[in-house]
Amino acid sequence: MSTPDEGYGETIFSHADANEYERLQALSDALDPVTLSVLESLPSEVGPQWLELGAGNGSVARWMAERHPSVHVTGTDRSLRFLDPRGHDNLRFLCHDVTQDSFPDGSWDLIHARYLLCHLPERDYVHSATTRWLSPGGWLVLEEPALFPLHSARDDAYRRVSLGALEVLAQRLGTDCTDCALNLPIKSASLGLADISMQVTCPTITLGTPACTFWRLTLEHLKPAIAELPYVREEEVADVIDRLSQPGFLDLGMATITVTARKPCSGEPRDGSGAEEHRNGEQR
């Protein structure tokens, strides 16, 4: 794929767009229950330095700070428009471009990123960098979208328009919703991480659900570009958006792949046998 001409948030999904906060809030409402459950299931001895990359509207970083008042939480994003640390003494937000700005090796005990790597052509570099930034014994939690359920959507127009939206993102931003998420476990293993687990969540798209609101607003934002694709008619895009706003529509959405992995301590066997309890999905 050729190098994209723009980055996430420059034109597509700019925080200055009228509905962007609503779109991000809907995504948080859809995904936070799984994210927070996974974070809550991590071992209690995780150290106190926590990093939220690509904090978006800040929902996960705020939960970290509220749920764990003894932890020091840093949330980063290229835009701080929607991020406010007030009311949380243990939370700060930092303007930070993960493709250019770094942190010292071993400086974070927990790093979480959601729907970040897929939008970065430099995703392999960033994945490797986050591993270096982890302290020995620290945890990496990555969540990325995967489009494979959309291929099984029963509504033909909805399927083509939805896949068209992801093609637009691939062309404009270099977004990868095909392989990025599914490759997370094997790439994490290749970087020396241990205790790797994977969870798959697939919401349905129907009126009244946060996933539906998120996807409708995404399609509205990308509507002109989707309509230019050769296999989508302009009126189909408007029709799909309209039907997502009406009762009765029900189909598959994108999956979210959640991968957790731990950085082994010095001298520890690569298989990470010391965290068997977490790998088997047991709660602490």
Side-chain angles (χ1 to χ4, degrees):
M1 181 181 296
S2 60
T3 302
D5 296 328
E6 61 184 284
Y8 184 101
E10 293 176 7
T11 300
I12 291 179
F13 306 141
S14 168
H15 282 194
D17 291 341
N19 293 329
E20 184 58 11
Y21 183 84
E22 182 185 0
R23 195 183 74 92
L24 291 178
Q25 184 61 51
L27 182 64
S28 293
D29 291 342
L31 299 184
D32 277 2
V34 171
T35 300
L36 305 186
S37 175
V38 168
L39 293 175
E40 191 77 337
S41 74
L42 295 177
S44 58
E45 63 270 16
V46 175
Q49 300 297 330
W50 291 16
L51 175 65
E52 166 79 359
L53 292 170
N57 68 349
S59 66
V60 174
R62 287 192 297 272
W63 176 88
M64 288 175 169
E66 292 169 1
R67 182 68 178 84
H68 300 277
S70 63
V71 162
H72 303 286
V73 180
T74 297
T76 75
D77 209 302
R78 291 175 60 184
S79 170
L80 303 184
R81 186 183 183 98
F82 302 144
L83 300 171
D84 186 351
R86 287 178 295 183
H88 303 89
D89 293 338
N90 59 332
L91 172 62
R92 66 167 180 161
F93 288 114
L94 178 68
C95 188
H96 180 274
D97 184 339
V98 73
T99 67
Q100 300 181 28
D101 304 322
S102 189
F103 291 107
D105 291 357
S107 55
W108 301 102
D109 302 304
L110 168 64
I111 300 176
H112 173 258
R114 186 171 72 190
Y115 281 40
L116 174 67
L117 295 183
C118 68
H119 295 301
L120 303 177
E122 309 91 343
R123 60 186 62 89
D124 288 343
Y125 164 79
V126 173
H127 194 172
S128 178
T130 58
T131 301
R132 295 194 304 272
W133 300 341
L134 276 178
S135 64
W139 287 90
L140 180 63
V141 181
L142 300 174
E143 301 184 275
E144 297 295 340
L147 60 75
F148 64 85
L150 292 174
H151 288 295
S152 298
R154 298 295 89 185
D155 186 293
D156 179 64
Y158 164 76
R159 181 177 63 254
R160 286 185 288 105
V161 168
S162 295
L163 292 173
L166 299 177
E167 181 175 339
V168 168
L169 294 179
Q171 293 174 354
R172 295 274 295 273
L173 306 181
T175 298
D176 177 7
C177 292
T178 302
D179 296 321
C180 175
L182 296 171
N183 286 341
L184 287 177
I186 193 168
K187 287 186 177 293
S188 296
S190 73
L191 292 170
L193 298 177
D195 303 315
I196 299 168
S197 66
M198 179 172 70
Q199 179 173 336
V200 182
T201 307
C202 183
T204 52
I205 302 298
T206 192
L207 185 66
T209 64
C212 185
T213 300
F214 166 75
W215 198 236
R216 175 178 56 79
L217 293 172
T218 298
L219 296 181
E220 287 180 358
H221 185 90
L222 300 173
K223 178 181 175 181
I226 301 171
E228 294 178 357
L229 296 171
Y231 54 85
V232 179
R233 300 191 306 274
E234 183 175 0
E235 61 269 22
E236 285 184 311
V237 186
D239 177 66
V240 167
I241 292 172
D242 180 66
R243 288 192 290 127
L244 292 181
S245 306
Q246 304 296 329
F249 185 90
L250 179 64
D251 217 320
L252 295 171
M254 286 194 301
T256 297
I257 308 288
T258 303
V259 170
T260 64
R262 186 177 61 87
K263 187 171 186 176
C265 297
S266 178
E268 181 182 339
R270 178 70 64 88
D271 65 5
S273 56
E276 189 72 28
E277 182 180 26
H278 175 75
R279 186 166 59 247
N280 288 339
E282 298 178 18
Q283 301 289 316
R284 70 180 188 274

